[in-house]
Amino acid sequence: MRVGLHALGIGDGARPEVIRAVAAAAEAHGFDRLWCGEHVVLVDAPASHYPYSPDGRIAVPPDTDWLDPLLALSFAAAVTSRIELATGVLLLPEHNPVVVAKQAATLDVLSAGRFSLGIGVGWSAEEFTALGVPFDGRGRRTDEYLAAMRALWSDDPASFTGEFTRFDAIRVNPKPLRGGHLPVLVGGNSATALRRAAALADGWYGFNVPMADVPAHVAVLAEECARHGRAIDGLTIAVAPRDATPEHLAELAAASVTELVVVAAPPPTPEEATAWVGELARTWLRTAG
């Protein structure tokens, strides 16, 4: 069982000295991957329902520092050499796909091929409004943007024509290091997200999933993979259960989960953060190994 750590980019985890300490300690202790999520915009009184908590409210206060995940992971890449990196998740329909393709491939090159792009469709209508992007149709936009980015990663020159984006005979370099392929994971706990992961992606990232729901989610993913002629064992299945303990690792492995993601907030100083990562490693990695 691989174990990732989702701890960078928010609050104390947005401080450069803490990012450096957490990233270096996570690599030294044997965590497999560092994850970093995204919100460009938070609002004081959101009307949108947050789908990853029982009360429908995001726990992060709206005035909290929240770094751009691609920039935060680039910083983490510069102070590490082995640990993998992933967005968990980048809200793809909020962005220009040509720019994201460039940024993601750049991070993959700078990290020597350690980056995976986790994407989601987003849930905050207020955020989309602030960015001038229609909230409706964001699922279709996500699917199309992913197809366009894959064309840019694999073809040179690349052309694409869709409902939301089009380009003709353009060159966007560098390319991802793995033969023009960058692993993409779809985040989200809905049946639609699972269908999208099975149809289009290299894996699924379930965030804040109740432990009791994990087997059913993986079963839906397996059914959708079969419907598309794919084997589920070819996918990364990463989950961050909201109520998991180290004793659940065997249960997660039996459910075909390939990576447990520990979600936690680091303390405010690099010395404390280094010790904190060591304690997480003793709690989770000893059991996983």
Side-chain angles (χ1 to χ4, degrees), residues 49-58 208 210 242:
H49 176 82
Y50 178 66
Y52 304 107
S53 69
D55 64 0
R57 311 288 288 185
I58 190 169
N208 227 20
R242 72 171 64 135

Side-chain angles (χ1 to χ4, degrees), residues 58-125:
I58 190 169
V60 180
D63 59 350
T64 302
D65 285 346
W66 195 320
L67 300 183
D68 178 284
L70 296 174
L71 294 176
L73 290 172
S74 293
F75 186 92
V79 298
T80 58
S81 61
R82 300 183 309 277
I83 194 167
E84 296 177 27
L85 311 162
T87 49
V89 292
L90 180 136
L91 303 173
L92 183 56
E94 296 182 352
H95 297 270
N96 182 305
V98 179
V99 175
V100 173
K102 177 84 165 189
Q103 292 172 326
T106 298
L107 178 49
D108 194 53
V109 168
L110 292 176
S111 66
R114 291 184 281 146
F115 178 59
S116 295
L117 180 66
I119 62 170
V121 303
W123 56 269
S124 172

